Amino acid sequence: MTTPRKIIIDTDPGQDDAVAILLALASPEEIEVLGITTVAGNVPLHLTTRNARIVCELAGKPDTRIFAGCDTPLARPLVTAEHVHGKTGLDGPVLPEPTMPVADLHAVDFIIDTLRAEAPGSVTLCPLGPLTNIATALEKAPDIAPRIAEIVLMGGAYFEVGNITPAAEFNIYVDPEAAKVVFACGAPITVMPLDVTHKALVTKPRNDAFRALGTPAGHAVAEMTDFFERFDKEKYGSLGAPLHDPCVTAYLIAPDLFEGRHINVEIETASDLTLGMTVADWWRVTGRAPNATFMGAIDDDGFFALLTERLGRL
Ligand SMILES: [Ca+2]
C-alpha cells in the first residue's frame, strides 16, 4: 500500500476544474487533498471560491479546506472566460448554493505555511488556473521553493499553440508574469499543455458513461461537459470538448497514462503579439537547461476509464 500524495489544488473553477477536483476527492488511496486554494481566472475570485465550495459539497466532502487567494494577476487586469464557462463559471447543472465555510486565511499564506510545516519534498502543488497564487507565495517566501515535491499544472501549449490568442493558452496568458516566476523557481514541474488536453475529448459515448453512473456527481459532470461542449465544438469542430484540468489529477493517480519530454520552457512576457506563449524547446535546439516535463501524449481511453470509475465512487 502506497502513501497518498499530499497536494494543494490551486484552481479557478471552471467545469473542467470541477472534474479535476472530483477526481482527486474520489481517490484517497493516491491523493490527500490538504486544501483547495482559489484564484481569479475563468471567472472572478468570488465565483471561483463559490464554485470550489459547490464542487466539494457535490463530492460529499464539505470538510475540505478552501482558501480564497488573489483576485488580480500580478501585473495586469484580469481576463476572464465567461464565453467558455458561462456567467457563473460552472454553468450547466443546477447545483445548490454552498453552505460550507471558506477558511479565514489567505490562499498564499496557506500555501506558504503548509510547505513550511510539512516535510520537505512531501507536498505537490496542482495549479489548474492562472499561476498568481503560486507566484505570489514564491515571491513572498522564497524558502518554500526547494520544499515543493512537484508542481503539476495545466497550462501552455506547443504544437497546439493557443486557445485564448493564436499564441497563448488561457491560464498562462492571464498571468504571464506569474508563470515566469513559477517556471524559474527550480522545483520539478510537470506540464499538461493543450497538446495533451486536446486529445482528452469528451465524446458522446464518454459523456453518456458519466450520466449512466446514476449518481449526482456523474449527472453533474455530464451536464457540465454538455454545456461547454457547445462552445468547443463550434470552435474546434472536434468530436467533443477537451477536458483540460483533470489531466493533472489523473497524472497523480496514473502517471503512465501520459508521455512527455523533459525540456526547457520559457514564458513570453514582453511581446504584444505572443504574450503568454510557452516557448517550449521540444526539439532541444537552444541548449537552455530543462526546467519542466512537458507532456505531449495521453492514453485517452485509459484516462476516461479511470475518470468514470472514480466518479462512480462519489
Ligand atoms: Ca482551470
Side-chain angles (χ1 to χ4, degrees), residues 44 78 95 102 122 124 128 141 161 171 186 217 224-225 228 244 254 278 283:
L78 178 64
L95 294 166
V102 178
S122 68
T124 297
L128 308 177
V161 198
N171 287 345
M224 287 180 209
T225 52
F228 67 75
H244 304 285
T278 44
W283 303 111

Side-chain angles (χ1 to χ4, degrees), residues 10-18 41-42 85 127-130 154 169-171 244-245:
D10 187 69
T11 179
D12 65 335
Q15 291 91 349
D16 61 317
D17 302 74
N42 288 324
H85 300 276
L128 308 177
M154 191 277 137
E169 178 279 329
F170 178 81
N171 287 345
H244 304 285
D245 294 342

Side-chain angles (χ1 to χ4, degrees), residues 97-118:
E97 276 302 311
T99 59
M100 64 180 282
V102 178
D104 190 23
L105 179 68
H106 194 283
V108 168
D109 293 316
F110 173 71
I111 292 167
I112 293 169
D113 292 355
T114 304
L115 283 162
R116 285 177 175 167
E118 299 284 343

Side-chain angles (χ1 to χ4, degrees), residues 21 87 129 193 208 233 251 258 264 278 312:
I21 294 167
K87 208 173 171 53
D208 289 345
K233 259 192 178 159
Y251 170 80
F258 301 90
N264 177 268
T278 44

